[in-house]
Amino acid sequence: MNNLLLLPIVIPLMTAIILIFFPKHVFWQRVVSFISTCSLVVVSGALLYRVHIDGIQTLNLGNWPAPFGITLVSDPLSALLVLTTSIIALACLIYSFYAIGHERETFYYYSFFQFLIVGVNGAFTTGDLFNLFVFFEVMLMSSYVLLVLGGTKIQLRETIKYTLVNVISSALFVVAVAYLYAVTGTLNMAHLAQRIHELGASPILTVIAVLFMIVFGLKGAIFPFYFWLPGAYYAPPTPVLALFGGLLTKVGVYSILRTFTLLFTQEATYTHTLLAWLALGTIAIGVIGAVAYNDMRYIVIYNIIAAVGVMIFGIAMMTPESLEGTIFYMLQDMVMKATLFLLVGIVFFMTQSNDIRSFSGLMASYPLLGWSFFIAALSLAGIPPLSGFIGKLLIVKASFHAGLLFEAIVILLSSLLVLYSIMKIFMNGFWGEKRGFEQKPLDARFVPVLLLLILSVAYGIGIEFVRPFVMDAVSVLVDPNMYIQAVLKE
């Protein structure tokens, strides 16, 4: 049995349950969470290596063979995302020790932190649509608690909106799953791919595909379903925001990537063209919002939306080159969004303001913080040789090869506007005369930020080391039979 496949879900699950029993012992909450999350990183790395060497790993729970039982599947894409999730979780956890506050720590913060990781890793690993819904709900219920924990006015207001939107999207998810089961008689994704291929092009399948597009679009904040994200992400404290910004929308993007390369490929001229236009709208909304605001948090939040649009456009083209670029870009964006939110949190700690017009001159007092922010900004915008470059380059190249000149220009212009929006923070906040803040020591909360930044730079410079793992993932997406045969043992 591939027990290694189960550990990225079981480790945070058992940790969350254990932590429930001693919520007031903050020191031991921290120690257990830290040891658990470090173990999670090691296990996730081992799983990725196992998948790279031995191919797709599957585990049928309860010894019921696929497609009759619950199947967990770790292919190269899933393993890459689980490892990235684990690394981001560790960085946000360490940052939480210094920034989340004692009161939140004694109200089950670390338990729900771990439950959130259960949901995210489970969504990346599950092999059937119903359990994708289940893990979505685990992730969402944990995010409700993390969002509202602290009970400030803005948290309560945004949690109500966030909960309502996700309750509606979850109801739509169940409806979409029910329709698909009624048509195909199965929910195992490998078996679904077979059944849908046998049915061929069908109007009802196209309608179901659009319904899933709406469901995952709400989860991933695609235009026009992005409206809930800016307010909801602005409300929580920095470590929660970094965790949300790095992980939650990427689960929606992953779901689109998985279903629209494995299942809904029969009417690609319609569904994927619609996906491409929604992606362009998402990019436009993201960069307009990022450029319009002078609030650091909103600038980075709207950059999440812009990045989601770029990924979705790469999926919509569905060529090997565009899918490779999408995976490169998704992994980079997960790390960089978490890094930037943590950096913004440190700047807020120093200045007690998110408005970049209210302070300046941080560079003189905190040069390491300033140059770290500068490197993160360049990486996010895709300036070579940093990590954001290769993913966008491949997506733009794929656009040119497909004759999509207008779309390629939109992505290139969005990169310039993303750079402008982030550099606006750097130029206003770090240069100029010192004002708007009191000198404070740069404490250990900067350590996980520095580690993420080093990882991101290494990812960009050592891209040839990462590429074999990414190409493994692309091979499975381009040839779904590899996934089907691994799961159904045919």
Side-chain angles (χ1 to χ4, degrees), residues 235-252:
T238 297
V240 176
L241 171 57
L243 198 64
F244 285 10
L247 301 181
L248 296 197
T249 54
K250 308 311 179 296
V251 179

Side-chain angles (χ1 to χ4, degrees), residues 224-268:
F225 311 115
Y226 69 93
F227 54 87
W228 58 269
L229 187 141
Y233 279 25
Y234 193 89
T238 297
V240 176
L241 171 57
L243 198 64
F244 285 10
L247 301 181
L248 296 197
T249 54
K250 308 311 179 296
V251 179
V253 173
Y254 164 79
S255 300
I256 291 174
L257 178 56
R258 177 67 72 195
T259 54
F260 281 83
T261 55
L262 181 64
L263 306 181
F264 305 120
T265 59
Q266 304 302 313
E267 287 287 347

Side-chain angles (χ1 to χ4, degrees), residues 319-326 393-395 397-399 401 474:
T319 65
E321 192 171 41
S322 72
L323 293 174
E324 182 187 355
T326 299
L393 175 65
L394 289 168
I395 292 172
K397 279 182 64 180
S399 302
H401 290 161
V474 173

